[in-house]
Amino acid sequence: MPQPTERLEGLETAAPAPRAWIVWATALLGVVVIGGIDWFSGVELRVFPLYYLPVGVVAWYRSRWGTLTISVLCGVAWFLSNYLAGMQFSRTAVWVANTVVQGGSFAIVALLIASLRTALSRERSLSRTDPLTALMNARAFHEDGARLLGPCRRNRRPVTVAYIDLDHFKAVNDQFGHQAGDDLLRAAAGALRASVRNSDLVARLGGDEFVALLPEVSPAEAALILERLRLAMATSVAAAPGGVTVSVGGITFLTLPAELQDMVRRADACMYVAKASGKNRVHLEVVGEGEVGLISRQP
């Protein structure tokens, strides 16, 4: 199996979260500044809503424990700034009650923001994941794949696209039911995921069709990787009823087309060549810089 590698340098991803120290430095500076404004403005002018700004920053980017910590700090800052500014209450208990209520309001808002962030992250993940196999779905593959191709295109690096189809899969569903088909798809997806590097993308496009995007893979390497991938997936479903095998169509692009969709379409055409040639095999072509030929492998 290819060894895991880091993602290509320069690959753009969704906006990463700031480092923890940046979040905390920003939030703590905000608490100090807002506390100073609260003290300077005196007891008549209420500026406590400003404390929700550092609370919101920490709640959005850090853990729930972090949100509670910043809420306590904001409560303490509110108490000190108002006490030093000369705010008076009839009893100490009133000070305690007001400080607890104020800190509690910070904590409630912080937890609501943290819960919102978690829900949004979960929804985004679900919208990009195939629910049956837990692989990327077609949408996520095309989004991430387009970003992955950027540095390859700029640096003139080869990219291989593989289109994978399970032979005789429909017969399994028809004869043994959809549960058997689902189990088979999950097994094949697991083998596919285990057969690629961390820098590669794999997805289920629908039905029994999968796709893999392999950056920085030469034609000779692609032939070995795709055959290893085919064998791993075929082995994972060998015990399933119906005699399911795996056909793989691949293209190594030495010069990248403008659109990932075109690359996938051409790999799909290669997969149909593999099926027409007898199934249970790899049909790999190499294109770009003079259409340099094809490699066809079979067990």
Side-chain angles (χ1 to χ4, degrees):
M1 184 175 67
Q3 293 301 312
T5 62
E6 297 298 326
R7 283 200 177 275
L8 294 174
E9 183 179 356
L11 173 61
E12 299 175 4
T13 58
R19 295 186 178 183
W21 72 267
I22 295 177
V23 174
W24 278 109
T26 301
L28 292 176
L29 178 61
V31 172
V32 172
V33 170
I34 294 167
I37 294 172
D38 203 5
W39 167 75
F40 183 77
S41 62
V43 298
E44 294 184 355
L45 183 62
R46 302 296 189 215
V47 298
F48 73 88
L50 294 178
Y51 289 106
Y52 291 111
L53 296 177
V55 165
V57 169
V58 173
W60 190 258
Y61 290 113
R62 305 311 305 160
S63 66
R64 289 180 182 270
W65 286 112
T67 66
L68 295 177
T69 300
I70 195 67
S71 299
V72 170
L73 291 176
C74 285
V76 171
W78 174 87
F79 165 77
L80 289 176
S81 60
N82 282 278
Y83 180 80
L84 295 175
M87 181 178 286
Q88 297 293 326
F89 291 108
S90 59
R91 289 179 297 171
T92 302
V94 177
W95 267 113
V96 173
N98 285 341
T99 303
V100 169
V101 169
Q102 196 66 58
S105 73
F106 296 146
I108 290 172
V109 170
L111 292 174
L112 288 174
I113 293 174
S115 297
L116 175 62
R117 173 63 184 269
T118 300
L120 290 175
S121 298
R122 184 181 298 113
E123 288 300 317
R124 184 176 186 275
S125 177
L126 291 174
S127 72
R128 292 167 47 85
T129 303
D130 174 60
L132 178 63
T133 64
L135 294 180
M136 284 183 170
N137 58 21
R139 170 188 171 184
F141 176 79
H142 282 88
E143 288 177 351
D144 289 4
R147 290 192 290 266
L148 183 63
L149 293 179
C152 292
R153 185 174 287 109
R154 289 192 298 271
N155 298 312
R156 302 179 64 83
R157 294 168 179 169
V159 173
T160 296
V161 178
Y163 204 102
I164 305 148
D165 185 87
L166 305 184
D167 307 317
H168 316 298
F169 176 76
K170 186 176 184 301
V172 173
N173 271 341
D174 292 343
Q175 296 179 29
F176 303 100
H178 289 285
Q179 183 60 52
D182 289 349
D183 292 341
L184 190 150
L185 288 172
R186 279 190 286 265
L192 173 59
R193 187 187 298 108
S195 300
V196 298
R197 306 165 298 176
N198 290 342
S199 56
D200 302 328
L201 298 181
V202 293
R204 180 189 177 206
L205 297 182
D208 60 333
E209 296 179 338
F210 301 85
V211 67
L213 180 64
L214 315 173
E216 299 188 42
V217 172
S218 70
E221 292 171 329
L224 295 174
I225 291 171
L226 296 190
E227 175 57 25
R228 188 182 297 119
L229 183 155
R230 184 203 64 77
L231 181 60
M233 295 182 70
T235 301
S236 73
V237 299
V244 174
T245 55
V246 179
S247 293
V248 181
I251 296 189
T252 297
F253 294 90
L254 303 180
T255 302
L256 303 188
E259 299 293 337
L260 175 59
Q261 186 173 359
D262 181 49
M263 299 169 69
V264 174
R265 178 184 60 78
R266 296 175 71 173
D268 185 20
C270 288
M271 184 271 295
Y272 278 103
V273 173
K275 281 185 171 291
S277 301
K279 302 180 180 180
N280 193 30
R281 67 192 62 212
V282 173
H283 178 85
L284 174 64
E285 297 184 2
V286 184
V287 300
E289 298 182 355
E291 302 288 327
V292 296
L294 65 85
I295 304 170
S296 185
R297 298 177 66 91
Q298 62 187 71

